[in-house]
Amino acid sequence: MSDTASKETFSFQTEVGRLLDIVAGSLYSNREIFLRELVSNASDACDKLRHRALTEPTLVEGDQEFKISLDVDAKAKTITISDNGIGLNHDDLLETLGTIAKSGTGAFLEQLGKDDKSDVSLIGQFGVGFYSAFMVADKVDVITRKAGEKEAWLWSSDGKGQFSIEPAEREERGTTVVLHTKKDAKEFLEDARIRHIIKTYSDHIAFPVMYGDEILNAASAIWTRAAKEITEEQYTEFYHHIAHAYDQPWLTMHNRVEGLVSYTNLLFVPSTPPFDLYEPERKGHVKLYVNRVFITEDTKGLLPTYLRFLRGVVDSEDLSLNISREMLQTDPKLAKIRTGLTKKIIGELKKKATKSPEEYAVFWRNFGAVMKEGLVEDSDLRDRILAICRFASTRDDQLTSLADYVGRMKEGQEAIYYIAGEDATKIAQSPHLEGFRAKGVEVLLLSDSVDEFWMQHVTEFEGKTLNSVTRGAADLDGVKSDDASDDKKDETDESALDGLIAAIKLELGEAVKDVRPSKRLTESPVCLIADDGDMDVNLQRLLQRHGQMHGGMPRVLEINPGHAIIKKLAERAELEGAASDELLKDASHLLLDQARIADGEAPSDPAEFGRRLSAVMTSAL
Ligand code: ADP
Ligand code: MG
């Protein structure tokens, strides 16, 4: 087989190709991070092999000292990063470097497209860090040999749509990445620059990064050191390294726990939400180590999924190294760590919430919706989670806890009121709130989709029930009004109102469950509510949108007896011949559609809606 005959050429997967175009073509200021990404990959490769060698020691026979080597050839204008990690075979290369787009590819492209300021240095966070090599190189060669295999391979690309794979020579296992630097990337061939970049970004790599005979990095696991010896900068650098992030950690938790199961945790809460927060896999990103040996990144069972925004490491000497990842998930010792850690984290969050509510609000806006999943999933800790939950409310633009809400409840107010919907701005303007506003009763504004689900599990707090203002009767008569006057509005005559209600019911038929006078409206003529015991309006909407419910339950139309339209219509309903009053009929439908529109929905029949609106307008003009 001649070399040319065995060389295969492939096209990058479409999205990867687009990514490369952007990365290679643009002048980003943070280009130096390519080295961080490649060293990080080398370190991952060493971690992977060290873990596999636990059960297959022959894989590392004769070469047990993992290391990463850098080499710069100023003449040839190349930068070389080598490791003796796990290496890649032909299929690995195809899968990981080119033909398959990882979920992060699209997300990263989107991020880059958002605004010109978005930072290419975030590339590692999206799981596509390798491609950052093309920021400084116009050709990249990867010579690699997988541990335990004989064949070596050369992957090569100029980043312009295609790459090739062919057989190659490599004496030992591992991977060598050769960057043929671009003309405008000369700066990275300088000795001092290389040293500086490694010190800045890769000091925490647990394997030595060799440069000539020198080790450039600290090459030790930072979490094994005492907290008082570690500076804030060092923590931040480590966070950047482990999370591939670029922001400041919002919270750092470094603890050593001694007990039945001993462990160390160094965990970070990011200050900006990671891109995959709402992906269906709900993957964790805390790395599990056993006695400094890396085991996995998303150990199921290490932390509950509602804490998936955390980054960092957990290291325990009490877990067995020789146990498979699958078995580990059900290890009772791991469960102990999980319980201890989860309580600790919730406790730390609570401290923050009490001590610095404004900072906590930032955290909550980023991760509150994720934390609230815990109210559904973690019944053991539900009360603790609920205590650190914060909510928007009609009071002001600050977030409130349930306890504070209860503390502010009005005399005679029996329940905690909330309104749920998808759009925070829209629900804040909902007509359902009018009566509550008028009485000075605070209403919580819930706009995360998870809200509907935890509401099924948490029905009361401190003995007060949680009531939706879009479901069931709203009887605010018992609540003392702020202003003493409590002006009794001049309302529609009762018998006339009954007549109107009967007429609307007759006209709307099955389209509504009932028509009732409203106690929650002060300005709008109508609104729709779910009847007591029926599914709440917003939940219905959510289920319909996700195809889990077809059609809807008819709702109750509430009419405002104090509203001029209702009064006029009631008068008309009392007249002789009302039964054949076309305007009254059209108005009934229009009122229903108006209520739907106020809820952000469309009229049930847009054509009919248009016709009726015209008819009523014509008669008014
Ligand atoms: P990530 O590191 O987040 O997975 P990258 O784009 O940096 O994303 O790397 C893609 C994949 O390429 C890695 O997951 C790994 O499988 C493979 N890879 C890259 N560099 C190496 C290396 N030095 N040794 C072994 N595999 C590597
Ligand atoms: Mg990487």
Side-chain angles (χ1 to χ4, degrees):
M1 208 173 7
S2 80
D3 271 3
T4 40
S6 55
K7 178 166 167 173
E8 303 167 281
T9 305
F10 304 89
S11 292
F12 284 111
Q13 190 271 349
T14 321
E15 275 191 325
V16 175
R18 273 181 54 213
L19 175 75
L20 279 172
D21 285 345
I22 297 177
V23 167
S26 318
L27 280 174
Y28 288 100
S29 50
N30 266 319
R31 290 196 298 173
E32 62 192 31
I33 60 98
F34 76 94
L35 200 52
R36 171 185 75 179
E37 294 304 326
L38 297 178
V39 169
S40 147
N41 284 350
S43 162
D44 290 349
C46 294
D47 265 337
K48 278 182 203 159
L49 181 56
R50 187 160 67 172
H51 183 253
R52 270 198 50 197
L54 294 172
T55 44
E56 293 171 73
T58 50
L59 288 179
V60 292
E61 230 164 49
D63 183 8
Q64 314 231 0
E65 300 292 318
F66 291 101
K67 62 177 190 297
I68 299 158
S69 311
L70 290 182
D71 191 41
V72 174
D73 185 334
K75 245 204 195 134
K77 298 190 174 54
T78 56
I79 303 170
T80 302
I81 301 104
S82 291
D83 64 68
N84 58 351
I86 188 135
L88 297 156
N89 62 23
H90 179 273
D91 291 352
D92 294 338
L93 278 171
L94 260 186
E95 200 172 300
T96 55
L97 301 182
T99 47
I100 297 176
K102 296 200 214 161
S103 65
T105 322
F108 184 57
L109 281 171
E110 207 175 285
Q111 177 75 31
L112 284 176
K114 253 187 212 156
D115 53 89
D116 336 322
K117 273 181 285 151
S118 61
D119 207 330
V120 79
S121 64
L122 295 175
I123 191 165
Q125 222 178 83
F126 294 87
V128 286
F130 172 79
Y131 300 117
S132 66
F134 289 96
M135 290 197 292
V136 298
D138 44 25
K139 181 166 179 270
V140 178
D141 294 327
V142 179
I143 304 109
T144 181
R145 176 171 161 189
K146 192 161 186 167
E149 297 185 13
K150 284 198 186 67
E151 302 85 14
W153 301 93
L154 166 64
W155 177 103
S156 184
S157 176
D158 59 5
K160 298 200 177 85
Q162 294 193 320
F163 63 91
S164 63
I165 298 179
E166 63 195 286
E169 292 293 322
R170 202 179 194 283
E171 293 285 308
E172 313 281 348
R173 65 158 200 258
T175 301
T176 302
V177 178
V178 183
L179 308 179
H180 301 270
T181 54
K182 293 182 184 174
K183 276 209 184 72
D184 67 0
K186 274 201 206 85
E187 54 186 305
F188 300 109
L189 297 169
E190 283 163 24
D191 201 54
R193 190 67 194 271
I194 293 280
R195 286 169 194 277
H196 182 74
I197 300 175
I198 294 293
K199 247 335 203 201
T200 311
Y201 297 106
S202 308
D203 205 33
H204 303 291
I205 295 284
F207 304 100
V209 178
M210 312 289 302
Y211 185 54
D213 302 331
E214 238 181 294
I215 300 176
L216 291 186
N217 61 332
S220 78
I222 183 176
W223 62 89
T224 59
R225 286 156 53 194
K228 61 177 186 309
E229 288 167 18
I230 305 171
T231 64
E232 202 182 317
E233 286 74 39
Q234 287 171 325
Y235 275 133
T236 302
E237 277 163 24
F238 179 68
Y239 163 69
H240 288 169
H241 154 66
I242 197 119
H244 291 283
Y246 223 50
D247 55 341
Q248 290 292 312
W250 179 82
L251 184 70
T252 302
M253 286 176 271
H254 187 188
N255 308 89
R256 168 86 196 144
V257 175
E258 309 273 355
L260 241 45
V261 187
S262 301
Y263 61 90
T264 302
N265 65 266
L266 174 49
L267 299 175
F268 303 93
V269 177
S271 56
T272 49
F275 84 95
D276 66 345
L277 202 54
Y278 295 105
E279 288 197 346
E281 295 83 18
R282 303 199 297 161
K283 253 201 201 154
H285 290 282
V286 170
K287 297 190 176 181
L288 179 67
Y289 284 72
V290 174
N291 227 348
R292 275 172 252 183
V293 176
F294 172 72
I295 306 296
T296 51
E297 161 128 8
D298 62 333
T299 315
K300 298 218 168 50
L302 175 60
L303 281 168
T305 50
Y306 62 86
L307 296 178
R308 62 183 174 277
F309 52 84
L310 288 170
R311 298 292 185 268
V313 305
V314 173
D315 191 343
S316 172
E317 59 272 38
D318 290 333
L319 294 172
S320 165
L321 265 175
N322 291 315
I323 196 167
S324 75
R325 289 174 193 179
E326 288 67 34
M327 299 257 297
L328 195 62
Q329 293 170 19
T330 53
D331 187 335
K333 285 183 186 154
L334 192 74
K336 274 222 155 50
I337 296 179
R338 171 194 171 108
T339 313
L341 266 180
T342 307
K343 285 184 183 163
K344 172 95 197 148
I345 292 156
I346 295 176
E348 289 294 320
L349 291 173
K350 189 172 181 180
K351 268 192 222 156
K352 271 286 226 195
T354 322
K355 272 200 211 142
S356 13
E358 270 156 37
E359 277 176 47
Y360 188 74
V362 174
F363 160 80
W364 192 257
R365 294 208 155 91
N366 284 336
F367 303 117
V370 178
M371 284 296 304
K372 283 188 280 190
E373 293 171 13
L375 295 171
V376 181
E377 290 165 6
D378 198 342
S379 50
D380 289 347
L381 299 180
R382 187 170 294 150
D383 290 343
R384 291 190 203 208
I385 300 172
L386 199 56
I388 60 167
C389 282
R390 294 294 177 270
F391 307 93
S393 95
T394 51
R395 193 171 84 108
D396 54 24
D397 56 4
Q398 308 283 306
L399 297 176
T400 180
S401 67
L402 284 184
D404 287 346
Y405 175 99
V406 170
R408 285 191 297 266
M409 274 170 56
K410 304 221 74 113
E411 209 182 312
Q413 182 183 341
E414 300 293 340
I416 297 170
Y417 291 105
Y418 69 88
I419 180 166
E422 286 166 83
D423 184 321
T425 338
K426 267 193 208 144
I427 54 173
Q429 294 160 351
S430 164
H432 297 92
L433 298 172
E434 290 170 2
F436 294 85
R437 279 228 170 81
K439 284 264 182 174
V441 172
E442 182 175 356
V443 178
L444 301 176
L445 305 169
L446 309 181
S447 56
D448 292 322
S449 30
V450 63
D451 289 323
E452 286 298 345
F453 300 98
W454 68 262
M455 284 285 171
Q456 324 270 325
H457 299 266
V458 182
T459 48
E460 60 161 60
F461 178 78
E462 292 183 0
K464 314 274 188 245
T465 56
L466 277 90
N467 285 7
S468 164
V469 305
T470 58
R471 181 167 71 176
D475 198 349
L476 295 170
D477 286 350
V479 180
K480 274 188 77 178
S481 199
D482 275 340
D483 54 79
S485 63
D486 202 354
D487 51 315
K488 194 88 198 113
K489 276 176 271 72
D490 106 78
E491 294 198 335
T492 317
D493 169 78
E494 225 168 278
S495 78
L497 190 65
D498 288 346
L500 175 63
I501 288 178
I504 298 177
K505 268 196 215 173
L506 192 67
E507 181 58 30
L508 295 182
E510 303 276 281
V512 292
K513 185 165 180 186
D514 199 2
V515 180
R516 292 174 199 159
S518 181
K519 296 214 165 160
R520 77 193 88 213
L521 296 173
T522 59
E523 274 135 53
S524 306
V526 283
C527 72
L528 279 166
I529 59 152
D531 205 3
D532 241 337
D534 280 357
M535 187 187 285
D536 201 0
V537 181
N538 182 49
L539 180 58
Q540 237 187 77
R541 219 178 281 142
L542 261 165
L543 293 178
Q544 283 165 344
R545 195 154 43 88
H546 289 105
Q548 287 169 13
M549 187 176 166
H550 299 284
M553 284 185 222
R555 294 176 215 158
V556 175
L557 182 69
E558 284 198 348
I559 60 175
N560 177 1
H563 197 280
I565 295 183
I566 301 300
K567 276 190 241 169
K568 284 265 160 59
L569 287 175
E571 283 163 21
R572 260 186 111 106
E574 280 197 308
L575 299 176
E576 213 166 311
S580 55
D581 183 345
E582 284 305 317
L583 188 129
L584 197 57
K585 289 181 182 174
D586 284 340
S588 303
H589 289 279
L590 284 175
L591 285 174
L592 174 59
D593 281 336
Q594 180 177 359
R596 291 177 58 95
I597 292 167
D599 278 348
E601 290 170 36
S604 44
D605 183 340
E608 272 296 283
F609 172 75
R611 188 197 58 73
R612 288 187 178 115
L613 189 61
S614 305
V616 172
M617 279 170 74
T618 310
S619 89
L621 297 166

